[in-house]
Amino acid sequence: MWTQKFAARDFTRAQIACAVIALFFCSWPALAQNRPSKVTVGYTGLGGVMISTWVTKEGGYLEKNGLASDFIYVASSSKAIQAMLAGDIDFLTSNSSSVVQANQGGADLVIIAGQVNRMVNSIISLPDIKQVAELKGKTLGVTRFGSYTDFEGRYALNHFGLKPGKDVTFLQIGGQAELFAGLMTRKIHSGVIAPPFLQKALENGMNELVDIRKISPQYPANVMVTRRKFLEANYDTTRRFIKAYLEGIHRTRTDKSFTEKVISKYTREKNPKILSETYDYYSKDAFDKLPYVTDEGMKLVFEQMSDTIPGWKNLKPSSFVDMRILKELDGSGFVQQLYGSK
């Protein structure tokens, strides 16, 4: 009798243990679903074109959309693309021409949103150079060959009748900070520079020869990129990332105080005047509420670079751009809800 009670007790315990294990495994998918995905985001500059991306991170919008994140700075698009192809970066800010060049070499990158859809830099020169024509026979500093500063410099010089590479020698210097330092040490005669380094250069007596914004057509200066295989395998994660990014753009456009603090954190700029001017320079003109990348903008990239890379003029935008998620969010009314009646 005692043996029977003991056996029954053990059987009951075994039943309870099995029930607990079964409950754990049944609950595991729901628990896993609630755990945030982890994404790595690479940004490729310290200029103002990165502001909305920084605000997306600092405003907590990735976490709000269920994404944990690491942000890493890589000083050039080409190096960042190598890291993405190696699987170290999931989403990347890059100039559009680097994306095209990588795909022409066999990569599977795809542009999923615009970052800045117009030219936003200026050509800044040493104090003794007063006009664009005086750059003939001199040097123009850009961050990297093939970068958006390289593209915008070539576009501006062509606009004013100078031939890039022939009339003006291009030098790749590094980042925006290095361009500013190059001017201050007179290692270059001019540079393609954006805020906050633009204001710092002007405060130090440099001249603004060209505000490239004033001659700019629509052009995807910087874009948001992932790999096609990542997009297809992680469509929902990508959708949540783009949703967070749109919220970051909204915060950038509508919250000057917060955005200035973010700019200061990433650029280490402490001057309130420069921070305010940098915000005003970018906040509404540079960052579109819905950052579509258009066929016309991509065709300009192909055309401008076809002088140095034969065959680019005949490329098709659809080979490099996928706006599905932006269109879905646009159609859902999400962006309209963010801005209300604005």
Side-chain angles (χ1 to χ4, degrees), residues 83 124 128 185 212:
I124 303 298
D128 52 323
T185 57
I212 304 177

Side-chain angles (χ1 to χ4, degrees), residues 91-245:
F91 301 104
L92 172 66
T93 67
S94 172
N95 65 79
S96 49
S97 57
S98 290
V99 174
V100 177
Q101 193 164 3
N103 280 11
Q104 289 298 94
D108 66 334
L109 305 182
V110 61
I111 297 169
I112 53 176
Q115 190 181 23
V116 174
N117 281 324
R118 57 189 54 82
M119 301 180 193
V120 293
N121 288 272
S122 292
I123 293 181
I124 303 298
S125 70
L126 297 175
D128 52 323
I129 300 174
K130 308 293 185 183
Q131 298 179 6
V132 179
E134 296 174 26
L135 288 179
K136 190 170 184 178
K138 296 182 173 62
T139 58
L140 177 72
V142 298
T143 54
R144 303 282 181 189
F145 296 144
S147 68
Y148 69 91
T149 57
D150 181 50
F151 183 96
E152 293 186 25
R154 293 176 186 278
Y155 183 88
L157 292 181
N158 280 321
H159 181 85
F160 288 98
L162 293 175
K163 294 183 178 180
K166 184 177 180 180
D167 293 332
V168 181
T169 300
F170 277 54
L171 297 176
Q172 58 178 2
I173 304 300
Q176 286 280 320
E178 288 77 15
L179 283 173
F180 172 70
L183 282 171
M184 293 299 295
T185 57
R186 302 182 73 91
K187 290 182 178 179
I188 52 177
H189 296 103
S190 61
V192 181
I193 294 183
F197 297 99
L198 169 60
Q199 285 84 358
K200 293 167 72 74
L202 295 179
E203 287 188 353
N204 281 276
M206 306 297 169
N207 292 323
E208 184 178 34
L209 299 183
V210 185
D211 181 347
I212 304 177
R213 294 177 302 172
K214 295 179 179 179
I215 60 171
S216 172
Q218 187 179 55
Y219 153 71
N222 249 50
V223 292
M224 197 65 71
V225 182
T226 190
R227 298 185 69 178
R228 282 194 182 275
K229 72 175 186 179
F230 183 92
L231 172 62
E232 299 307 329
N234 303 277
Y235 192 85
D236 180 64
T237 295
T238 306
R239 189 179 190 277
R240 285 184 282 148
F241 175 79
I242 293 298
K243 189 176 180 182
Y245 178 52

Side-chain angles (χ1 to χ4, degrees), residues 42-62:
Y43 63 97
T44 55
L46 297 175
V49 295
M50 303 295 166
I51 293 172
S52 60
T53 306
W54 299 334
V55 170
T56 300
K57 169 68 173 177
E58 300 303 320
Y61 299 111
L62 292 165

